[in-house]
Amino acid sequence: MSRKLTRRQVVAGAGAAAAALKFPAPAIAQSQPFKLGLLTVKTGPLAQGGIQMEQGVVTFLKEKNYTMAGRKVDFISADTGGNPAGTKTKAQELVERDKVDVILGPLAAFELYAISDYIKQQKMPTLSLAAADDLTQRHANPFLLRASATSSQAMHPMGHYAATEMKLKRVVTIVEDFAFGYEQMGGFQAAFEKDGGCVVNKLWPPIVTPDYTPYLAQISGCDGVCQGFAGSNPLRFMKQYAAAGLKYPVVTGETGGDDALLKSFGEEAVGLVSCCPYTLDLETDGNQRFVNGMLKNFDTVPGFYAAGLYVNCQVVEAGLKALNGDASDKEKFMAALKAVSLADTPRGPIKFDHLNNVVGTFYIRRLQKEGAKYGLKLWNKTIKTYDNVSQFWTWPEQEFLAHPVYSRNYPPLKGC
Amino acid sequence: MRRHQIALLAAAVALVTLPYWMSGVYYINVASQILFFAVFALGLNIIAGYGGLVSLGHAALFGISAYVVGYLLQHGFGHASAILGALLAGLAATAVYAALALRATGIGFIMITLALGEILWGLAYRWISVTNGDNGINLHGRPQPFGIDINSATAFYYATLIVFVAAVAAVAVFVRSPLGAALMGTRDQPRRMNALGYHVWAIRFWACMFSGLLTSVAGILFVYYTQFISPQTLALTSSAEVLLMVIAGGAGTLLGPIVGAGLVVVVKSVVSGFIERWNFLLGAIFVAIVILMPEGLVPGTVRLWRRAWQGKNGTSP
């Protein structure tokens, strides 16, 4: 019967239960609700991903009937507006006014940078989706845990696959002109060139570009293209790429081939090869439960953003269970979160390295028409999996961290 | 007059005792934000309200000072030299900005300031070796003026309040000064002012410099508050937001920008916690202001109040 509950009924029920719990005023901390804060973006250009983040959290909470480790969960969602100052204000709101036990989010790297020092000061365990490499590398933050991926983490296996299995030799990269793009393409180039490939040119269109034609005209002298677009830009890029008559195979990372885009992609995207820490077609109980929940609650298939937040919730629950529901000591809670290792998440097994970044499975998928489920016309079919991928790929940690962070100019073009 | 003095005293008492009656650190921080955005809006109001020169690039001047603080602190300078450097850089940028933009007035002025703002935004975004691109610059710690630690929310609030009061006093003095009167003259009758022998360009230039000084001060408070600066702060939306503060509160009034800053910050940070479509609400409020009191909240309220007062006393205007 509880399966048929609507969202409102669950929220009202949870509220009533929480209110009922308040009256006897029990002294022990565990009987108070656990406060889960979410920093997301519900307005502006990043809202599409931000709304999916919230859907991932709500799907998890509904599945667990708003309970974690025996404690009721109060869920507080805050809209940062996608700008750093707003993120800081909202983080303060969650920490100082709402007194949350843990923060999920934020979405974008510049948002996370804006609150990085603050969460350290406040000792506030934060599970972000933002991918900025250095926050779990050269400037690691002890209170930040990343269960999604660094910007370059998916691009390393992609580079390896492109060089060794697709046998590409010369690739042109194209991505938006910002840090997430630089780090993605740095990762691709480093891994691709390690296995004998060569990046011949790197193109950086601005984030808001209605027209990629001038950039498409520069794609030549290669046998493959790597794009790393985010948001809805991959849709536009693939359309214009096909319209320009370009036929080189295209590879991409987690945002460029996101499953949430499948319903909007057209014929032109068939053949796109992507590497992602989450894939819709993973046939495990954990993923099936998650996908069914998303379909039931929001009538939409999940992509990487929703899955990332669902996994974050699983990590929080596991950490809380390890402490028998007591999250009052923030340092102990953070240590418990870091020690979490899960076997059955929607993205497969995960654990964390000593810098708090995820070690997990990455999936190479080919976009095709065959095998599509859930009423979709297109489908990302997994063609290879890389297990236990760390943020350092196959390099030893020392050697990896001795290099500067991936940027527009690093690694440099070799002119081959 | 006595009513004014009572209101002023009540406001002063409310502001000074705010940390004692305001519940929680979060709201004290919101109050600090209102105060430094009010300083920013007061700065823009000098040229937009009193000078009739609407700038759509002020966030860039605000951002330059913030970036200079971040950059100098990162390179080992102390807080005093960082703040001084930021003020000088802000003023220098304003001088260039004024020299270029004052070649025009009206729409031309708006477009030049818009373009300059976009150029500086682009620089902040792309000059990665200096600004760290869109990942921005983090600051560690706040200064300790006269050995007082202002890291706590309450202490920072008082520091901001002192700067705010000084800024309000400076603007009040400026408006009543001959230069202030001359500036309003150039707004209303530039050709007549010219004919009377006033150097219209110079008056506008010095007004821009004063505006730039207040903007720099606000930028420094902002960067010490958020302890982070990134290109978004310089973007067109930030410039538009502060202009909305000025227009909503009442351009060309002393109190207007302060009320406008309060309105925008409260809707943006407090109300947005309750209403998902807070952008829509902010838009609706502005539409309402434009329809009901086009001169802005402060002059509009005064007008309505007077009308009600006179209505009650049976006298007609």
Side-chain angles (χ1 to χ4, degrees):
Chain A
M1 178 222 150
S2 61
R3 299 261 157 228
K4 279 279 156 201
L5 282 178
T6 66
R7 180 177 169 192
R8 262 165 212 232
Q9 281 168 327
V10 172
V11 173
L21 272 176
K22 266 186 191 155
F23 277 103
I28 35 172
Q30 276 91 318
S31 53
Q32 284 176 1
F34 177 76
K35 290 196 167 180
L36 186 69
L38 171 68
L39 287 174
T40 185
V41 186
K42 289 193 259 186
T43 47
L46 297 173
Q48 208 183 1
I51 288 167
Q52 276 221 21
M53 285 168 64
E54 188 170 301
Q55 290 176 341
V57 178
V58 172
T59 299
F60 178 86
L61 291 175
K62 283 194 168 180
E63 186 187 315
K64 301 284 173 179
N65 224 343
Y66 283 81
T67 313
M68 275 187 188
R71 288 177 70 179
K72 276 282 160 205
V73 177
D74 267 359
F75 173 49
I76 303 148
S77 168
D79 177 14
T80 65
N83 76 72
T87 310
K88 181 78 188 276
T89 313
K90 289 295 166 183
Q92 286 172 329
E93 181 180 314
L94 291 178
V95 172
E96 290 158 17
R97 190 183 69 180
D98 302 325
K99 311 241 182 299
V100 296
D101 293 299
V102 67
I103 289 180
L104 307 177
L107 189 161
F110 51 78
E111 294 183 288
L112 183 57
Y113 271 110
I115 62 166
S116 175
D117 283 344
Y118 179 71
I119 59 178
K120 214 188 302 179
Q121 266 169 29
Q122 299 285 333
K123 301 191 192 314
M124 175 53 62
T126 302
L127 285 86
S128 181
L129 197 66
D133 280 20
D134 258 357
L135 286 174
T136 54
Q137 292 175 5
R138 294 161 196 85
H139 306 294
N141 181 333
F143 284 89
L144 175 72
L145 196 65
R146 181 152 48 201
S148 45
T150 61
S151 314
S152 54
Q153 202 167 353
M155 278 299 189
H156 289 141
M158 190 69 255
H160 177 263
Y161 186 84
T164 57
E165 312 237 349
M166 294 173 76
K167 311 278 182 211
L168 299 182
K169 293 270 174 280
R170 300 164 61 79
V171 162
V172 172
T173 70
I174 178 163
V175 69
E176 290 113 344
D177 191 1
F178 72 143
F180 176 62
Y182 309 151
E183 291 177 3
Q184 280 196 84
M185 289 315 162
F188 178 82
Q189 189 184 354
F192 184 57
E193 294 189 342
K194 182 172 190 254
D195 288 307
C198 173
V199 168
V200 290
N201 198 2
K202 300 194 262 191
L203 305 172
W204 315 103
I207 293 188
V208 188
T209 319
D211 185 12
Y212 292 114
T213 315
Y215 297 93
L216 290 168
Q218 295 176 56
I219 297 180
S220 63
C222 60
D223 55 12
V225 171
C226 179
Q227 60 105 336
F229 291 101
S232 57
N233 283 352
L235 303 171
R236 225 143 28 101
F237 174 78
M238 291 310 287
K239 228 168 231 130
Q240 297 187 7
Y241 183 82
L246 291 165
K247 297 267 187 277
Y248 310 115
V250 182
V251 301
T252 187
E254 67 238 20
T255 54
D258 190 7
D259 292 317
L261 296 175
L262 284 175
K263 56 179 181 286
S264 318
F265 270 131
E267 199 92 353
E268 71 283 347
V270 169
L272 176 68
V273 175
S274 57
C275 182
C276 189
Y278 169 75
T279 182
L280 187 56
D281 76 339
L282 182 66
E283 291 191 350
T284 61
D285 289 348
N287 189 36
Q288 202 57 57
R289 227 178 9 250
F290 166 60
V291 175
N292 289 344
M294 283 291 290
L295 287 169
K296 193 180 82 187
N297 297 324
F298 302 106
D299 194 26
T300 180
V301 293
F304 163 72
Y305 292 93
L309 267 286
Y310 183 92
V311 173
N312 279 350
C313 289
Q314 288 183 308
V315 173
V316 170
E317 187 193 31
L320 202 56
K321 269 188 182 150
L323 296 174
N324 295 317
D326 179 10
S328 51
D329 184 332
K330 294 276 182 283
E331 299 199 11
K332 240 194 215 160
F333 186 34
M334 192 62 211
L337 289 172
K338 273 180 79 161
V340 167
S341 150
L342 295 168
D344 189 21
T345 74
R347 59 170 291 188
I350 59 160
K351 58 179 191 258
F352 296 97
D353 64 17
H354 76 105
L355 291 171
N356 301 3
N357 192 63
V358 69
V359 178
T361 310
F362 282 73
Y363 306 90
I364 307 275
R365 303 101 45 88
R366 187 191 306 280
L367 203 149
Q368 58 181 38
K369 289 191 211 163
E370 298 77 33
K373 290 202 271 185
Y374 313 120
L376 293 169
K377 294 201 171 58
L378 297 168
W379 192 246
N380 275 320
K381 168 98 180 101
T382 302
I383 48 179
K384 186 176 171 86
T385 56
Y386 287 86
D387 293 326
N388 287 317
V389 176
S390 90
Q391 57 179 334
F392 307 115
W393 184 225
T394 56
W395 289 283
E397 182 186 328
Q398 298 284 325
E399 188 188 325
F400 187 92
L401 292 182
H403 293 300
V405 67
Y406 293 133
S407 64
R408 249 174 101 98
N409 307 318
Y410 186 85
L413 285 177
K414 293 202 174 64
C416 43
Chain B
M1 273 302 115
R2 271 194 53 212
R3 232 187 311 151
H4 274 173
Q5 282 162 348
I6 293 170
L8 202 65
L9 191 69
V13 170
L15 282 174
V16 169
T17 58
L18 183 129
Y20 298 96
W21 52 264
M22 194 60 106
S23 66
V25 178
Y26 171 68
Y27 291 103
I28 297 172
N29 278 329
V30 171
S32 302
Q33 286 186 59
I34 293 176
L35 291 183
F36 62 69
F37 275 116
V39 174
F40 187 11
L42 281 169
L44 179 60
N45 187 37
I46 295 289
I47 59 167
Y50 296 112
L53 299 162
V54 176
S55 160
L56 263 180
H58 247 55
L61 300 176
F62 181 79
I64 280 194
S65 308
Y67 263 112
V68 169
V69 170
Y71 183 80
L72 290 180
L73 287 181
Q74 243 186 0
H75 286 76
F77 289 87
H79 288 291
S81 34
I83 292 171
L84 197 66
L87 286 175
L88 289 176
L91 285 175
T94 310
V96 174
Y97 176 98
L100 289 169
L102 281 177
R103 301 172 67 83
T105 54
I107 302 271
F109 187 85
I110 297 180
M111 295 324 283
I112 296 174
T113 54
L114 172 65
L116 290 170
E118 290 292 284
I119 290 171
L120 288 173
W121 171 82
L123 266 181
Y125 200 74
R126 293 295 301 278
W127 197 2
I128 294 164
S129 57
V130 170
T131 65
N132 201 19
D134 62 340
N135 283 342
I137 299 178
N138 274 296
L139 266 65
H140 304 287
R142 289 172 179 162
Q144 302 196 330
F146 313 109
I148 304 163
D149 183 16
I150 59 164
N151 275 309
S152 79
T154 308
F156 187 78
Y157 170 78
Y158 281 119
T160 312
L161 182 61
I162 291 168
V163 176
F164 168 76
V165 169
V168 173
V171 173
V173 169
F174 172 82
V175 171
R176 281 166 207 191
S177 71
L179 180 59
L183 179 65
M184 284 180 260
T186 65
R187 172 190 65 190
D188 299 332
Q189 297 287 350
R191 293 173 72 186
R192 190 174 294 174
M193 287 295 284
N194 203 11
L196 285 170
Y198 284 94
H199 196 319
V200 173
W201 189 91
I203 291 168
R204 286 176 170 160
F205 179 82
W206 289 111
C208 280
M209 292 303 281
F210 182 45
S211 169
L213 177 68
L214 289 175
T215 304
S216 285
V217 168
I220 293 165
L221 286 170
F222 167 84
V223 76
Y224 275 121
Y225 170 77
T226 58
Q227 308 199 6
F228 179 77
I229 172 75
S230 73
Q232 269 87 353
T233 305
L234 280 72
L236 175 60
T237 44
S238 309
S239 290
E241 212 169 80
V242 68
L243 190 59
L244 284 179
M245 290 176 189
V246 173
I247 293 170
T253 62
L254 184 59
L255 214 54
I258 302 169
V259 172
L263 175 75
V264 172
V265 171
V266 166
V267 170
K268 229 174 91 162
S269 34
V270 182
V271 181
S272 67
F274 306 102
I275 299 172
E276 202 163 299
R277 304 261 169 257
W278 58 272
N279 285 334
F280 178 80
L281 176 73
L282 200 55
I285 292 174
F286 285 125
V287 171
I289 290 173
V290 168
I291 293 174
L292 298 175
M293 31 182 87
E295 67 273 57
L297 272 178
V298 171
T301 312
V302 169
R303 173 169 59 84
L304 293 181
W305 176 266
R306 283 212 180 115
R307 192 183 293 168
W309 189 255
Q310 281 158 353
K312 216 170 21 183
N313 290 341
T315 53
S316 61

